[in-house]
């Protein structure tokens, strides 16, 4: 089976499992797990942030960030493609009682002027109070596109002037760092809070970290507890994260190369209307009008290839390359694509 649905389907390699088995652990609800502490410190050092906290999922890390930055009735400004709006089960309203102001723009990226226009004037009490801006890098529904990090400083300044928090949903921040050779410290300098996933491109079975300013994150321990994310001897999982940070970041370039090669082949297919310009490990196919999508699904399924058929929209299919999509999978898949006529 060649599984291109997501980079979340990876399983820990034997070296990662060994690191997990050897982890020195304690009760992290008491703040006594040395391996969790080590992971949190490593993330702080990496991004130049003051404080970090381990979470079971990226969704919980993002939801905690929204809770920390807002009060019920406040508004969050984000792109209409964003994960926090589309794929967190309505958590923004459920957990924090916030509404979203949605911005447009290609590939899940918005213009700073649109963001400025979206901020409700503070004394205009008829409108919800704007309180938080959320960026996503790389963009998921936007096809793995990367923000130009040069704009972060300007965005930060606008947020500061308008008393808005600034959160980065960095589930795939690693892909962006590698694709653009950016210095991770740029993130710590500009964002109040940053969530990162260890369980996507980096190949961990579970785990996310919320990192950022101490002034904000000092309250995260209570929110995480309320959300049910206080975990006990979780150093076994943090050890996987440490292993992944040490070993699996640089190699993301391989996933990006494979995705670019796949896109090149896909462009030749007559069922493809458009493809995103592949910057990292995500390919989103937009199908031609009147295309029989089921025929495509049936063809690839019969060849033991699965993709994300539905979550990006009815006329779209998403493919994601990852750690467990091997060189031989890649060779086989390119051959399948070559002979594919639908
Ligand atoms: C996957 C993802 C998350 C978090 O997902 P979990 O499955 O809860 O870990 C957040 N943001 C983006 C952009 C994602 O792709």
């Amino acid at each position: 089976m060649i599984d291109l649905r997501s980079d979340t389907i990876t399983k820990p390699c034997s070296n990662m499992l060994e690191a997990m088995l050897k982890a020195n652990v304690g009760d992290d609800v008491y703040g006594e797990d040395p391996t969790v502490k080590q992971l949190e410190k490593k993330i702080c050092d990496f991004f130049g942030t003051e404080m970090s906290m381990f979470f079971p999922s990226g969704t919980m890390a993002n939801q905690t960030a929204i809770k920390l930055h807002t009060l019920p009735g406040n508004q969050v400004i984000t792109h209409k493609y964003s994960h926090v709006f589309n794929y967190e089960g309505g958590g923004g309203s459920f957990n924090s009682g916030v509404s979203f102001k949605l911005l447009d723009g290609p590939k899940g990226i918005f213009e700073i002027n649109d963001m400025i226009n979206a901020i409700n004037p503070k004394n205009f009490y008829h409108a919800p109070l704007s309180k938080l801006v959320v960026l996503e890098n790389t963009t998921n529904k936007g096809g793995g596109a990367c923000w130009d990090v040069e704009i972060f400083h300007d965005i930060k300044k606008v947020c500061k002037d308008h008393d808005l928090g600034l959160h980065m949903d960095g589930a795939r921040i690693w892909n962006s760092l590698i694709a653009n050779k950016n210095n991770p410290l740029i993130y710590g300098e500009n964002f109040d809070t940053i969530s990162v996933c260890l369980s996507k491109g980096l190949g961990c079975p579970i785990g996310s970290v919320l990192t950022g300013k101490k002034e904000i994150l000092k309250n995260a321990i209570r929110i995480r507890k309320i959300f049910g994310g206080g975990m006990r001897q979780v150093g076994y999982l943090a050890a996987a994260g440490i292993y992944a940070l040490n070993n699996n970041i640089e190699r993301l370039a391989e996933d990006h190369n494979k995705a670019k090669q796949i896109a090149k082949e896909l462009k030749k297919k007559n069922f493809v209307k458009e493809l995103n310009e592949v910057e990292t490990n995500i390919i989103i196919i937009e199908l031609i009008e009147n295309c029989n999508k089921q025929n495509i699904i049936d063809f690839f399924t019969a060849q033991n290839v699965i993709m994300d058929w539905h979550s990006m929209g009815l006329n779209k299919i998403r493919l994601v390359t990852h750690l467990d999509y091997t060189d031989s999978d890649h060779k086989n898949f390119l051959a399948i694509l070559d002979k594919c006529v639908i």
Side-chain angles (χ1 to χ4, degrees):
M1 178 77 85
I2 298 174
D3 192 341
L4 289 162
R5 287 173 301 166
S6 174
D7 46 8
T8 56
I9 60 104
T10 56
K11 293 174 188 165
C13 65
S14 57
N15 287 341
M16 182 182 279
L17 284 172
E18 200 178 302
M20 293 167 75
L21 274 176
K22 284 188 182 151
N24 189 5
V25 299
D27 189 334
D28 187 50
V29 174
Y30 288 124
E32 290 173 4
D33 191 302
T35 310
V36 170
K37 285 209 166 83
Q38 196 189 331
L39 170 68
E40 290 170 347
K41 173 156 192 321
K42 206 170 163 59
I43 292 284
C44 284
D45 293 344
F46 188 83
F47 290 108
T49 43
E50 296 167 351
M51 187 177 168
S52 295
M53 197 174 288
F54 190 53
F55 279 81
S57 71
T59 298
M60 197 191 284
N62 280 338
Q63 289 299 317
T64 297
I66 293 172
K67 189 77 190 163
L68 289 171
H69 285 285
T70 63
L71 288 171
N74 291 167
Q75 193 157 71
V76 178
I77 299 170
T78 193
H79 194 278
K80 67 175 185 182
Y81 276 3
S82 69
H83 196 277
V84 290
F85 177 71
N86 290 286
Y87 302 115
E88 298 189 4
S93 56
F94 191 96
N95 296 315
S96 301
V98 294
S99 59
F100 289 93
K101 180 82 163 192
L102 299 176
L103 305 181
D104 220 325
K107 304 193 275 188
I109 291 168
F110 54 77
E111 294 288 333
I112 189 167
N113 281 336
D114 291 339
M115 176 190 123
I116 294 168
N117 289 333
I119 302 168
N120 292 324
K122 230 177 180 172
N123 54 6
F124 185 67
Y125 54 79
H126 307 272
L129 184 65
S130 311
K131 208 71 190 104
L132 173 66
V133 172
V134 179
L135 272 63
E136 188 174 307
N137 204 18
T138 68
T139 64
N140 180 347
K141 198 177 168 69
C146 303
W147 279 81
D148 175 358
V149 299
E150 298 294 318
I151 197 76
F152 291 166
H153 188 76
D154 295 344
I155 291 179
K156 173 196 162 155
K157 187 167 184 316
V158 172
C159 288
K160 197 158 180 273
D161 291 349
H162 290 85
D163 196 20
L164 304 176
L166 182 57
H167 176 66
M168 165 55 68
D169 176 355
R172 294 189 180 82
I173 201 165
W174 326 106
N175 298 84
S176 179
L177 288 169
I178 289 299
N180 300 291
K181 301 186 170 64
N182 291 140
N183 184 342
L185 297 177
I186 293 170
Y187 288 86
E189 276 163 26
N190 290 299
F191 290 88
D192 297 316
T193 50
I194 305 160
S195 65
V196 299
C197 280
L198 303 163
S199 60
K200 296 203 167 147
L202 299 194
C204 292
I206 179 173
S208 280
V209 178
L210 184 62
T211 190
K213 290 190 180 142
K214 193 167 184 176
E215 183 54 30
I216 299 167
L217 281 178
K218 66 179 197 295
N219 300 315
I221 186 103
R222 181 183 296 275
I223 307 301
R224 188 182 68 175
K225 182 69 188 177
I226 293 168
F227 287 170
M231 300 182 285
R232 303 292 181 183
Q233 285 71 24
V234 73
Y236 293 115
L237 298 172
I242 293 168
Y243 178 88
L245 291 171
N246 288 336
N247 295 282
N248 292 347
I249 296 182
E250 295 296 326
R251 64 151 303 287
L252 290 168
E254 296 171 31
D255 298 346
H256 300 171
N257 284 337
K258 286 182 178 130
K260 282 176 188 155
Q261 286 164 10
I262 293 170
K264 208 170 144 203
E265 288 308 308
L266 276 171
K267 279 200 186 108
K268 301 175 189 161
K269 299 295 150 188
N270 60 4
F271 59 85
V272 174
K273 181 179 170 196
E274 232 176 300
L275 283 184
N276 60 312
E277 183 202 334
V278 174
E279 295 178 40
T280 55
N281 67 331
I282 299 179
I283 305 150
I284 296 181
I285 304 173
E286 192 182 331
L287 301 169
I288 52 163
E289 278 95 37
N290 309 318
C291 164
N292 188 333
K293 189 173 180 179
Q294 195 56 47
N295 284 350
I296 300 172
I297 298 175
D298 291 345
F299 172 84
F300 286 108
T301 308
Q303 304 288 327
N304 282 322
V305 177
I306 50 175
M307 307 172 187
D308 179 340
W309 308 120
H310 299 296
S311 73
M312 294 294 126
L314 279 179
N315 65 336
K316 291 187 177 176
I317 296 174
R318 188 188 72 168
L319 294 76
V320 188
T321 57
H322 53 77
L323 185 55
D324 288 1
Y325 174 69
T326 61
D327 291 347
S328 88
D329 285 341
H330 187 52
K331 196 163 154 261
N332 293 338
F333 181 55
L334 290 181
I336 290 166
L337 269 186
D338 192 44
K339 72 175 181 204
C340 156
V341 269
I342 290 161

